[in-house]
Amino acid sequence: MRIDSLREVPDIDLETDICIVGSGPAGLTIAAELAGTPWRVLVLESGGRLRDPDIDQLNDIENVGAARARPHRDARNRVLGGSSDTWSGRCGYLDEIDFACRPWVPGSGWPIRAEEVRPYLDRAAGHIGIGNGSGFNDDSFWELSGRPRPPGDVDAGLLRPYFWQISKDPADPFDAKRFGAHVAATAAANVRVVVGATVTHIDTDPLGTRVESLEVTGDDLRRRTVRAGRVVLAAGGIENARLLLASRRVVPHGVGNRNDLVGRYLMDHRCGAVGAFDTTTSAAVRDRFGKYVVRSPRGTHTFLHGLALSERVQRAEGLLHCALWIQETPADDDPWDALKRMLRGRADRHDARVVLGNPGLLLAGARRRWIQRAGLPHRLAGVELRCMVEQRPDRDSRITLADHDDRLGTPVARIDWRTSALEDATVRRAAELAVREFARLGYATPVLSDWARTGSTAPVRLTDWAHPTGTTRMSADPRHGVVDPGCRVHGVDNLYVAGSSVFPTNGHVNPTLTILALAVRLADTLATGSGPLRTPPARAS
């Protein structure tokens, strides 16, 4: 893919067949899937090749709802590669119940089923840096990994085994995939990426039924016009809604917002530590519910073993989906973290001393990694039991526009994120069941925080996890959502949305793998769809 700065692009080159707004994992995956097709593809990225504090200021928000612990500028990345610049790389996929309409969860239910998404997960895996896109949960993991199932089964009627796969960058085995670093090397003569190009308005026909052009503003404050046959918003869960709402010169209520749904149903994942293990007595439970190394045709990949609330408990007790896992916190003098920094050229003298002073722990780690195919043994500062819980969809949890603009003239996003007591009850029940299961299996148990115990009335100490979701939710009926099952904005012929903002519910799992599966699915639609500016030539080589 060719990368240019907006300053370098003649206005005549800002006409294309498909324009993608945002160069994060969703946008770049769609672009990569369209490589070699007849369509001219233009990707617009607000940021540059590297992070810039001045550009980051465009992410400023006005928060009027629940406190958000993650710094909004750090978690929302205006840079080539988008959110992959800071993501942790944890990948998992939604379960069938996450797509279902659940009477005890108002607003739940996707207009597509899990089986319709599943075929795209394996294609998404190739983009995201993992070995398997599906089929690695429950007992299927042990067959996939080629190892016997450990003795003692978890009571699947209460908690089911859940596995997350950790993304690996092709250029750095110790890091998650950073999408921006691979753009220039991606073969795609028909795809052009333009950085420093912030979309500040979507211009439509008088009825708001078709996008005519995009207003794009550079750091020189000059406004340019991009004309495209089809447009995909892939700017993130907050920015997708913000841009639709702010595009009100022709349609006063915002593009795609006839039913006052753009920006509503804002969800995130609430996450945090619910308890702590003793580092000296918890080795066995950390081995069982820890990291596993699996070899696949795509290479060697790491999985994390955790637990998720069973469907039976969710249905019987009217709870949400929730997952728990054991998380180790390495000490400052952990030799494996020091060695990683050395191998990546980021070490100091302290790291060198730590590595040279711990040959035994490094040797044990090498044996565990390459022979036992398990996680590395770290010197630990602590061990936590952590959780991530689904949110109940809430129409009043939403993004609107503040009364002041950013420096490019776009209204700032006002965030009114709301949490619910159902999430609190779900976390407490899941934590209780996890402690019970660890004890039944003969493992050391964590000491739960007082607020995490069933029956506690203390404030729940969970924070958002920078997974804004649901603000352009998918629905078959335009009265209930913003995009249709194909991710096209209801009532707008040539406008699509990619990313977690289309999720009607968010399950317990990190959203990126599902985002990419839906992006691949959308790319198939775009590759065969109608609405180009011109008759396509023969397929590019």
Side-chain angles (χ1 to χ4, degrees):
M1 299 181 190
R2 178 178 173 181
I3 307 173
D4 292 307
S5 170
L6 183 62
R7 287 176 176 268
E8 305 165 352
V9 180
D11 289 356
I12 194 173
D13 287 346
L14 295 178
E15 182 175 289
T16 189
D17 297 316
I18 298 170
C19 182
I20 301 169
V21 181
S23 74
L28 289 180
T29 294
I30 294 171
E33 285 284 324
L34 292 172
T37 66
W39 312 115
R40 297 170 300 170
V41 179
L42 178 65
V43 180
L44 300 176
E45 169 54 49
S46 176
R49 292 174 173 84
L50 301 173
R51 293 288 291 273
D52 183 331
D54 290 337
I55 297 298
D56 285 345
Q57 288 181 1
L58 298 176
N59 281 333
D60 284 350
I61 63 172
E62 179 182 296
N63 189 35
V64 298
R68 298 180 67 81
R70 298 296 299 270
H72 59 274
R73 290 187 186 173
D74 292 345
R76 295 162 60 212
N77 308 152
R78 286 182 186 257
V79 68
L80 186 64
S83 62
S84 72
D85 194 58
T86 54
W87 79 310
S88 68
R90 284 180 55 168
C91 298
Y93 54 91
L94 296 172
D95 296 308
E96 290 185 11
I97 191 173
D98 297 318
F99 291 86
C101 179
R102 292 164 280 168
W104 67 96
V105 184
S108 63
W110 290 50
I112 58 176
R113 295 169 295 177
E115 63 192 48
E116 295 177 63
V117 177
R118 193 165 294 124
Y120 299 97
L121 289 168
D122 285 331
R123 284 171 61 186
H127 292 282
I128 206 171
I130 58 176
N132 303 83
S134 62
F136 54 83
N137 269 326
D138 301 314
D139 289 339
S140 60
F141 172 79
W142 306 112
E143 180 178 354
L144 173 73
S145 64
R147 66 176 80 217
R149 189 170 60 189
D153 289 334
V154 174
D155 186 342
L158 302 175
L159 296 167
R160 54 183 286 255
Y162 193 88
F163 294 84
W164 297 266
Q165 195 171 169
I166 310 302
S167 165
K168 184 170 68 173
D169 194 289
D172 186 347
F174 299 116
D175 201 4
K177 183 175 179 180
R178 309 299 170 193
F179 281 68
H182 303 280
V183 172
T186 303
N190 62 313
V191 179
R192 187 176 201 174
V193 179
V194 177
V195 298
T198 303
V199 178
T200 46
H201 200 272
I202 302 170
D203 298 318
T204 69
D205 64 355
L207 296 177
T209 59
R210 182 174 181 81
V211 175
E212 299 288 350
S213 63
L214 301 174
E215 177 188 88
V216 182
T217 306
D219 55 10
D220 57 1
L221 301 185
R222 179 185 163 201
R223 300 188 187 278
R224 299 163 175 85
T225 298
V226 171
R227 301 190 185 280
R230 286 166 285 167
V231 175
V232 180
L233 301 186
I238 293 175
E239 293 302 313
N240 284 344
R242 177 192 180 193
L243 183 56
L244 289 169
L245 291 170
S247 299
R248 51 191 179 180
R249 294 174 192 158
V250 176
V251 280
H253 47 270
V255 174
N257 197 32
R258 287 180 177 81
N259 294 305
D260 188 28
L261 289 171
V262 172
R264 292 189 181 274
Y265 295 99
L266 171 65
M267 297 170 285
D268 207 307
H269 284 123
R270 298 176 66 194
C271 185
V274 297
F277 290 88
D278 186 309
T279 59
T280 61
T281 62
S282 59
V285 70
R286 286 187 278 118
D287 281 348
R288 169 69 184 274
F289 298 97
K291 291 182 177 178
Y292 294 82
V293 177
V294 177
R295 298 183 180 94
S296 78
R298 288 193 175 114
T300 301
H301 296 274
T302 300
F303 290 75
L304 173 64
H305 186 359
L307 297 168
L309 203 57
S310 73
E311 181 173 334
R312 185 186 71 79
V313 169
Q314 291 179 61
R315 291 186 180 279
E317 302 182 24
L319 299 176
L320 297 162
H321 215 160
C322 182
L324 306 106
W325 67 94
I326 298 173
Q327 184 156 311
E328 300 176 337
T329 303
D332 290 339
D333 60 346
D334 174 54
W336 277 105
D337 272 9
L339 180 60
K340 289 178 183 179
R341 287 190 290 270
M342 289 180 67
L343 293 174
R344 298 168 74 182
R346 303 176 185 175
D348 55 22
R349 292 181 180 178
H350 171 73
D351 289 325
R353 288 194 297 269
V354 169
V355 169
L356 293 173
N358 291 275
L361 190 57
L362 292 173
L363 181 62
R367 185 183 309 112
R368 280 178 58 89
R369 174 78 178 185
W370 285 285
I371 298 177
Q372 299 174 356
R373 292 182 291 155
L376 298 172
H378 293 276
R379 179 168 287 122
L380 299 174
V383 180
E384 296 176 333
L385 179 65
R386 297 185 68 86
C387 79
M388 184 179 291
V389 65
E390 173 185 20
Q391 277 210 276
R392 178 179 63 84
D394 182 347
R395 179 183 169 88
D396 294 325
S397 181
R398 66 185 301 197
I399 296 168
T400 55
L401 300 177
D403 296 328
H404 59 284
D405 298 345
D406 64 22
R407 63 183 176 82
L408 299 185
T410 302
V412 168
R414 177 184 287 129
I415 310 297
D416 186 0
W417 178 52
R418 304 192 180 190
T419 62
S420 78
L422 182 57
E423 295 144 27
D424 300 349
T426 298
V427 168
R428 290 178 172 128
R429 178 61 167 150
E432 174 189 55
L433 291 175
V435 172
R436 183 188 303 178
E437 279 300 285
F438 290 146
R440 186 184 66 81
L441 294 171
Y443 294 119
T445 59
V447 176
L448 292 182
S449 301
D450 289 341
W451 65 262
R453 299 177 186 278
T454 300
S456 174
T457 58
V460 170
R461 296 180 182 176
L462 299 175
T463 68
D464 68 287
W465 211 239
H467 296 163
T469 305
T471 55
T472 62
R473 68 195 328 246
M474 183 191 297
S475 69
D477 187 330
R479 296 173 299 174
H480 301 140
V482 176
V483 303
D484 67 18
C487 293
R488 184 179 63 86
V489 174
H490 285 296
V492 186
D493 292 342
N494 60 339
L495 180 60
Y496 301 81
V497 180
S500 60
S501 66
V502 307
F503 291 17
T505 55
N506 63 348
H508 70 73
V509 71
N510 308 60
T512 309
L513 180 56
T514 304
I515 288 172
L516 263 64
L518 293 177
V520 172
R521 178 173 175 263
L522 175 55
D524 280 358
T525 298
L526 295 169
T528 59
S530 60
L533 286 173
R534 59 187 176 88
T535 302
R539 185 179 180 89
S541 58

